[in-house]
Amino acid sequence: MSHDTAQAHESGGRKHHPHVLPVRMYAGVWLALLVLTFITVKVSYFNFGIMNLVVAMGVATLKASLVVLFFMHLKYDEKFNAIIFAGSLTFLTIFFVLTLADTMERGKVDPLEAHELVPVPARPELIDRKTVHVDEKSPLVPGAHGLQVPATGEGLAAPTPADSAAMRGATGGAVESTKAPGESTKAPGGH
Amino acid sequence: MSDVTAEGGLPEKKKWQHHVGHHFADAENEFTANKFGFWLFLATEILLFGGLFVAYVVFRSTYPMTFHEAHEHLSKPMGAINTVVLICSSFTMAMAVRASQTNQHRRLIWLLVVTLLCAFTFLVIKFFEYKAKIEHGYLPGYWYTPHLPTDPANGNLFFGLYFVMTGLHGLHVLGGIVAISWILVKAKKRQFSSEWYTPVELVGMYWHLVDLIWIYLFPLFYLIG
């Protein structure tokens, strides 16, 4: 860069003027983050069932929003940067939705079809763990999901009955996926 | 802008001047372009961690009780203290960016030092947490060797994700320490001013993202209801 160009830059062009935010605002956000942390820790000592997860994620999202909007200045930033950020969240959502649309829906077959599917493991590695999960005492595919099954392992590859029960109570939409096909008419998360 | 004052006290050395890159129209153009590029980088960071969060959700929704049992082997107070430490460091970093915007050189330096101390505190606490988990044999995969009857069944699922996600986050904290040290050196040379403080701003954004990811890691691993 020649000296002349540098001169032109320093004198001719727009200078950058920082958008200085008041200390009060930063301190307020800081206090809010500490209070929210305190709340989320306190709440975790009580059992509200599904609400624990909702509160924990709600508080975390509130905290994250405060950090992004005020500490990272996105509220006062170029709108295009907000689009970049929203774009990353959009693609993250697609990632979540498409993956869970697969894993949450596995084993959801018509009870009639399920009868035909279960007894014939032509290629065991292709059989879905949850489809086979009709008889909880005999997991046919112990290596599914890469789990190490200890010598004493009792059905570790398939979700334990406790896991399945907890899902019924805890995670509304996720419920049907772990059920044995025959159960799929029961209403999820009734209590 | 009334508080934009050159702080006295330090001896005036040879003046360091940032020159706007010749491919930018002017200083404002350079600043917005730098920031835009950095937001793109942060978007890739979000997606990097995003993959791990997807894995977490898939396994937790399949093995809720396993996750519930295993999480009780983590220390909630330690996780909470680390959350507070990171939030405080995020605050001092935000204040450091503000100090660079207002030409408060000394304040910028001590705020960066406090931020660094918080980052080290975080890693020290994390070290003791890891140490306890490793002693219990909770390292992921091949090294998962629990030896107590009270150890959680199937805990390798939980602790595999725990070590990988908090480990990757820990590496980002280390990266943050390097980056903050770098701007601390530049700040000591008085290279930042209200007209050019881009590195402070960008390192600040990075540091807030590290905080932001921990804000989600903390409830997901330590506060499973």
Side-chain angles (χ1 to χ4, degrees):
Chain A
M1 177 164 71
S2 76
H3 187 66
D4 287 347
T5 334
Q7 280 301 315
H9 269 117
E10 305 307 336
S11 53
R14 286 174 298 165
K15 286 189 171 174
H16 172 67
H17 295 292
H19 183 72
V20 184
L21 298 165
V23 176
R24 223 176 33 250
M25 190 278 285
Y26 288 114
V29 171
W30 178 47
L31 280 179
L33 290 173
L34 291 179
V35 170
L36 287 170
T37 305
F38 181 77
I39 290 173
T40 195
V41 172
K42 278 285 159 209
V43 165
S44 75
Y45 284 99
F46 300 95
N47 184 14
F48 298 126
I50 179 70
M51 286 311 288
N52 279 96
L53 186 62
V54 174
V55 169
M57 287 298 96
V59 170
T61 304
L62 191 55
K63 284 162 77 183
S65 310
L66 286 174
V67 170
V68 170
L69 288 176
F70 297 103
F71 281 0
M72 295 169 95
H73 302 148
L74 195 60
K75 185 170 189 281
Y76 312 93
D77 210 344
E78 301 276 330
K79 287 289 164 282
F80 201 75
N81 292 340
I83 294 173
I84 303 281
F85 180 66
S88 75
L89 295 186
T90 307
F91 281 97
L92 190 58
T93 311
I94 294 172
F95 195 175
F96 267 98
V97 170
L98 289 186
T99 309
L100 295 179
D102 172 5
T103 60
M104 292 286 187
E105 303 298 311
R106 284 187 193 174
K108 266 182 135 183
V109 272
D110 189 287
L112 289 171
E113 287 176 41
H115 257 292
E116 295 170 12
L117 281 174
V118 176
V120 217
R123 292 180 62 190
E125 72 275 13
L126 291 183
I127 295 207
D128 184 81
R129 184 172 45 76
K130 290 165 185 164
T131 318
V132 180
H133 190 52
V134 178
D135 177 8
E136 293 194 339
K137 281 174 192 143
S138 63
L140 289 184
V141 205
H145 283 202
L147 283 178
Q148 294 173 358
V149 183
T152 55
E154 26 192 353
L156 285 184
T160 59
D163 275 329
S164 307
M167 281 183 74
R168 265 169 223 138
T171 51
V175 170
E176 297 197 37
S177 60
T178 44
K179 280 193 211 165
E183 292 183 291
S184 61
T185 44
K186 282 180 200 160
H191 37 98
Chain B
M1 294 286 287
S2 57
D3 47 352
V4 180
T5 50
E7 190 182 305
L10 294 173
E12 200 67 44
K13 289 186 191 149
K14 194 179 68 173
K15 193 134 166 73
W16 190 91
Q17 180 90 44
H18 169 73
H19 292 293
V20 176
H22 66 86
H23 47 297
F24 293 112
D26 51 41
E28 182 63 26
N29 176 229
E30 185 185 54
F31 180 78
T32 47
N34 287 169
K35 230 180 149 175
F36 163 63
F38 206 78
W39 270 109
L40 278 178
F41 164 67
L42 293 188
T44 69
E45 288 281 84
I46 289 169
L47 293 174
L48 168 68
F49 279 94
L52 292 167
F53 279 108
V54 170
Y56 175 92
V57 170
V58 168
F59 282 116
R60 179 167 167 186
S61 60
T62 317
Y63 303 90
M65 283 317 284
T66 297
F67 272 61
H68 179 80
E69 273 172 39
H71 105 281
E72 289 177 345
H73 295 257
L74 294 180
S75 162
K76 217 180 257 191
M78 276 180 142
I81 291 170
N82 254 353
T83 309
V84 170
V85 166
L86 266 199
I87 285 173
C88 291
S89 79
S90 231
F91 171 64
T92 55
M93 189 70 222
M95 290 304 292
V97 173
R98 189 184 182 279
S100 72
Q101 289 174 333
T102 53
N103 289 322
Q104 292 163 300
H105 296 288
R106 283 191 166 167
R107 185 186 267 197
L108 168 62
I109 287 168
W110 75 255
L111 282 168
L112 288 178
V113 169
V114 174
T115 310
L116 272 179
L117 288 177
C118 287
F120 279 115
T121 309
F122 179 89
L123 287 183
V124 167
I125 294 175
K126 205 81 219 141
F127 167 78
F128 284 111
E129 283 192 82
Y130 276 176
K131 194 162 164 274
K133 299 295 156 283
I134 291 168
E135 277 167 6
H136 281 91
Y138 292 164
L139 277 173
Y142 177 79
W143 296 276
Y144 186 73
T145 51
H147 35 70
L148 292 176
T150 51
D151 285 328
N154 254 357
N156 52 345
L157 270 183
F158 179 84
F159 284 106
L161 284 165
Y162 168 78
F163 272 106
V164 172
M165 292 176 82
T166 60
L168 186 63
H169 178 265
L171 287 179
H172 277 77
V173 173
L174 271 182
I177 288 177
V178 172
I180 295 168
S181 307
W182 171 62
I183 53 170
L184 181 59
V185 169
K186 284 173 91 68
K188 285 214 165 185
K189 293 181 187 161
R190 286 217 178 202
Q191 295 187 353
F192 302 121
S193 69
S194 60
E195 286 181 18
W196 188 74
Y197 57 91
T198 314
V200 191
E201 171 90 19
L202 301 190
V203 169
M205 282 163 63
Y206 172 82
W207 192 247
H208 297 314
L209 186 90
V210 172
D211 182 30
L212 190 140
I213 286 165
W214 182 259
I215 283 175
Y216 280 97
L217 289 180
F218 172 57
L220 286 180
F221 283 107
Y222 294 80
L223 306 180
I224 296 177

